[in-house]
Amino acid sequence: MARYLLKQLFNMAITLFAVTFIVFVLNELTPGDVVRKLLGPYASADQVEKVTREMGLDRPVMVRYAEYMANAARGDFGQSIVFRRPVSEVLWDRLGNTLLLAGVCFAIIVPFSVLLGVLAGMRERGWIDRSVSVFSSVCASIPEFAMGVFLLAIFVVQLGWLPGTSPLRDDTGWPIWTQLVLPAAVVVLYDAGYLIAMIRTSMVEVMRQPFIRTAVLKGMSFRRVVVKHALRNALIAPFTVILLQINYLVAGLVVVEMVFAYPGFGRMMLEAALAKDIAIVEAGTLVAVSVTMLTQVVGDLGYRALDPRISI
Amino acid sequence: MTETDRAAPEGLAVAPVRRTGRAFAARGAKGLKAALTASPIATLGGAIILFWAICAVLAPWLAPYPPNQLDPMALVDPFPSAQHWLGTDQLGRDILSRLLWGARTVLTVAPVAVLAAAVVGTLLGLVSGYRGGVVDALVMRVGDVMLAFPQIILYLIVITKFGASALNIVLVIAVTKAPIIARIVRAVTLDVRNRDYVAAARMRGESTLHILLVEILPNARGPLIVDIFLRLGYTTIAIGVLGFLGIGLPPPDPDWGGMIKESYGLLFVYPHMTLIPAVAVSSLVVGFNFLATGIREASFDV
């Protein structure tokens, strides 16, 4: 167990270094680039050279990368050009907003898709299965920006029930919670569509097992068979997938954040990337990859807890 | 797209065993045909894809106007009319024409990207599963790093660094999807590499390439076909997302995601400008996903 954790941490560290290094090199291999972006297109070559020297950017890329990582370890990610604040401030701010939305979505997606997935997989090819399968397949097929547009057209333009933008400020005339409804709805429909299909497949497979047939034949009620025997087994395989949704919910919310002008992490990354705000892009990547790696380890541990046959 | 990496559902890893290349080709074509006729979902999906494919191929002849031609008169009343069946957009361009040409864009970029990912992923998966050892460890490790990267961030970095072009979109999608396909193929390879018929082929003195492509690869046919159709759907979404975020194909050429982005602010006044391309892109993805589901049901009984 301890060995496993150690190995995972080691793997995590390697991946983290690889990813941050790739991003760093892509952005900062040629030192002039950084200063050019800082000073703008009209700076003279002399100015660029001077600032490059002053900022220590003329040193080899490996040295600068090591320095960057050392600073990052202390929580110092440098200064953002776009937001004109320290990167760490902007980063935690935006990450907090995204985690709020992601948390709401996750809390709805998991029970919703487990319920529908199990109901559908319980009686394969029954009418519930058919309808749930079509529903989930259609939901997973509608891209978030399209779903956002559809929901906006219905609930904002036609009915006027909900706000069309979600800047998370209360001076817009809409309480904060109403601003979360539409973004969350888009994410839930899109993501649950996929999860339901995974859980259904797993449930169908479990329901075909001999031990289920035995339970039914010995006269157990169908309800008890499902709840007592099938449920836990059917949730083992989708468990990792469920956890993987956390990743998606951190970086993948960018589309929803753009549709609803939500001040989140993904939108910050997009704005920073378009404005070549390298410090933000690097720090954001570091955070996003760390989240991914952590959920992987948690996933493996949970897998083991759920399924005693697996030892790691 | 978006975004996450979505592998085909787990149950798909079970592949029926096929022995020879000829059988693979025959069963592949027949399997697809059988799925199309047996499952209503697959028929519907196939019909949607066929519809858009026809639109894409015949766009130059079907489109009533050139896709970038401005009609200043239409700006006064951009709603659907006898001149412009689906109305015009915020610049007075004919939406129907842009929709048809947009189909051409997405139905070129998505299949090329997925095919590239499938070829690279299949080769990596075969070699890594068959050879094992250092090669396997290296390929899987690099794949893990690729998958650990939140996709959308990777797109952002690459496209802001190297610019938005069809080629860059294809490359970035191929690179990010290849590890998923490599995993599927590797799992099948690990499963069959010690079977008797593979040993027999080695004994006959067949080359490694022959063993990989003719003896092993056909076993991965089923999961691969299903995954390729799923991947096509997700790639269509990804291309749409890139367009919507403003980092897709450069304007003014029509691109469904871009059309939505450009007219999105006018949703309150002229909803048709945004809703029509949104319906188009959704229907195409529905088509791909229905086809994938249908084939899976027909060939794997899940």
Side-chain angles (χ1 to χ4, degrees):
Chain A
M1 185 66 191
R3 239 189 100 198
Y4 164 79
L5 271 182
L6 222 62
K7 198 178 146 214
Q8 282 302 309
L9 282 176
F10 179 72
N11 274 345
M12 252 179 87
I14 299 272
T15 311
L16 214 55
F17 272 107
V19 170
T20 49
F21 187 69
I22 295 169
V23 177
F24 194 87
V25 169
L26 266 180
N27 284 311
E28 303 201 13
L29 188 59
T30 40
D33 279 6
V34 183
V35 179
R36 268 267 162 239
K37 281 163 201 162
L38 203 66
L39 296 181
Y42 300 111
S44 71
D46 282 358
Q47 284 171 310
V48 171
E49 202 182 309
K50 183 160 174 284
V51 178
T52 303
R53 247 196 332 275
E54 275 170 12
M55 292 176 68
L57 292 173
D58 50 350
R59 292 169 301 156
V61 69
M62 288 306 288
V63 176
R64 284 184 289 129
Y65 174 69
E67 193 182 79
Y68 176 80
M69 287 308 279
N71 284 338
R74 289 198 307 270
D76 171 17
F77 293 107
Q79 199 75 18
S80 156
I81 308 171
V82 174
F83 300 95
R84 305 200 177 274
R85 280 161 66 197
V87 170
S88 49
E89 274 180 31
V90 186
L91 189 68
W92 300 132
D93 226 31
R94 294 301 192 92
L95 197 61
N97 289 343
T98 288
L99 288 181
L100 171 69
L101 182 57
V104 172
C105 295
F106 196 68
I108 305 172
I109 290 170
V110 174
F112 180 64
S113 38
V114 167
L115 182 72
L116 285 188
V118 168
L119 278 179
M122 185 169 84
R123 290 188 203 275
E124 194 188 342
R125 302 199 175 189
W127 66 270
I128 304 183
D129 186 20
R130 283 283 169 218
S131 3
V132 169
S133 294
V134 170
F135 168 77
S136 68
S137 188
V138 171
C139 281
S141 302
I142 301 181
E144 297 137 297
F145 56 88
M147 182 70 87
V149 166
F150 296 147
L151 294 186
L152 274 171
I154 298 171
F155 292 100
V156 181
V157 178
Q158 281 296 314
L159 300 171
W161 288 354
L162 290 163
T165 56
S166 313
L168 288 191
R169 289 194 315 264
D170 39 19
D171 55 2
T172 55
W174 293 92
I176 300 274
W177 72 267
T178 59
Q179 300 178 16
L180 286 172
V181 175
L182 280 183
V186 170
V187 176
V188 167
L189 285 176
Y190 179 71
D191 204 36
Y194 172 70
L195 259 191
I196 291 170
M198 300 291 292
I199 294 169
R200 176 198 166 265
T201 307
S202 172
M203 186 71 185
V204 164
E205 271 167 19
V206 171
M207 292 303 283
R208 286 178 182 173
Q209 300 285 318
F211 73 87
I212 295 290
R213 195 176 53 204
T214 311
V216 173
L217 289 180
K218 79 182 181 194
M220 209 178 195
S221 74
F222 188 69
R223 191 196 167 85
R224 265 177 71 87
V225 172
V226 169
V227 176
K228 290 266 171 193
H229 287 9
L231 199 57
R232 178 174 148 141
N233 284 297
L235 290 182
I236 292 174
F239 177 74
T240 355
V241 185
I242 292 178
L243 274 177
L244 278 179
Q245 304 312 308
I246 296 178
N247 282 329
Y248 157 72
L249 288 175
V250 170
L253 289 186
V254 56
V255 180
V256 174
E257 291 171 0
M258 289 308 287
V259 173
F260 296 99
Y262 188 93
F265 177 81
R267 202 163 71 114
M268 173 194 79
M269 289 297 281
L270 178 66
E271 284 165 0
L274 290 179
K276 316 251 180 211
D277 192 343
I278 293 162
I280 293 254
V281 173
E282 285 169 353
T285 312
L286 189 67
V287 169
V289 176
S290 310
V291 172
T292 313
M293 311 285 328
L294 270 178
T295 37
Q296 268 175 15
V297 176
V298 174
D300 283 353
L301 292 178
Y303 216 73
R304 199 176 102 123
L306 274 175
D307 190 349
R309 287 168 305 183
I310 298 171
S311 64
I312 42 178
Chain B
M1 135 255 297
T2 15
E3 29 351 50
T4 42
D5 264 303
R6 315 194 134 180
E10 311 245 324
L12 304 184
V14 202
V17 178
R18 285 284 137 243
R19 300 282 156 93
T20 64
R22 192 172 300 144
F24 163 51
R27 294 287 293 215
K30 229 196 244 160
L32 192 64
K33 209 174 144 198
L36 274 173
T37 45
S39 151
I41 290 246
T43 317
L44 182 58
I48 297 173
I49 297 171
L50 190 67
F51 170 76
W52 284 118
I54 292 174
C55 289
V57 173
L58 298 181
W61 295 278
L62 288 179
Y65 301 90
N68 294 325
Q69 180 181 300
L70 309 179
D71 178 359
M73 296 312 287
L75 283 175
V76 188
D77 178 22
F79 286 105
S81 63
Q83 280 88 44
H84 301 280
W85 289 1
L86 295 179
T88 51
D89 70 1
Q90 70 288 345
L91 297 178
R93 295 173 295 194
D94 184 59
I95 292 182
L96 177 60
S97 307
R98 291 182 69 73
L99 209 60
L100 294 172
W101 283 93
R104 213 176 163 91
T105 316
V106 71
L107 282 176
T108 317
V109 177
V112 170
V114 172
L115 201 66
V119 170
V120 174
T122 303
L123 288 179
L124 286 177
L126 282 173
V127 171
S128 139
Y130 188 65
R131 285 267 176 238
V134 186
V135 182
D136 185 32
L138 193 70
V139 170
M140 286 299 118
R141 231 28 242 141
V142 173
D144 283 349
V145 172
M146 297 303 311
L147 294 179
F149 234 122
Q151 293 222 331
I152 195 80
I153 292 182
L154 193 66
Y155 293 158
L156 278 179
I157 293 170
V158 171
I159 287 177
T160 48
K161 179 79 189 168
F162 299 106
S165 71
L167 182 66
N168 284 348
I169 293 176
V170 166
L171 285 180
V172 86
I173 288 175
V175 167
T176 47
K177 307 287 183 205
I180 308 172
I181 293 179
R183 284 183 174 193
I184 297 173
V185 175
R186 173 177 175 268
V188 175
T189 310
L190 284 178
D191 186 36
V192 300
R193 71 171 177 188
N194 293 327
R195 298 270 172 94
D196 286 345
Y197 63 88
V198 176
R202 256 198 304 268
M203 216 81 91
R204 288 201 303 271
E206 303 281 9
S207 66
T208 309
L209 196 68
H210 173 94
I211 295 176
L212 289 181
L213 295 184
V214 180
E215 305 292 339
I216 296 181
L217 183 59
N219 294 286
R221 172 182 57 87
L224 260 182
I225 291 179
V226 173
D227 194 72
I228 282 175
F229 279 106
L230 284 177
R231 246 2 97 209
L232 277 170
Y234 292 131
T235 305
T236 306
I237 297 185
I239 295 169
V241 164
L242 292 177
F244 179 76
L245 296 180
I247 50 176
L249 296 167
D253 284 332
D255 159 57
W256 292 347
M259 288 167 76
I260 297 176
K261 175 201 160 68
E262 287 162 15
S263 61
Y264 167 69
L266 299 168
L267 190 64
F268 274 91
V269 209
Y270 303 124
H272 70 282
M273 293 177 184
T274 316
L275 288 176
I276 292 170
V279 169
V281 66
S282 306
S283 70
L284 181 59
V285 185
V286 167
F288 283 130
N289 283 356
F290 275 10
L291 194 55
T293 312
I295 296 175
R296 184 166 68 220
E297 276 181 357
S299 45
F300 301 105
D301 199 31
V302 170

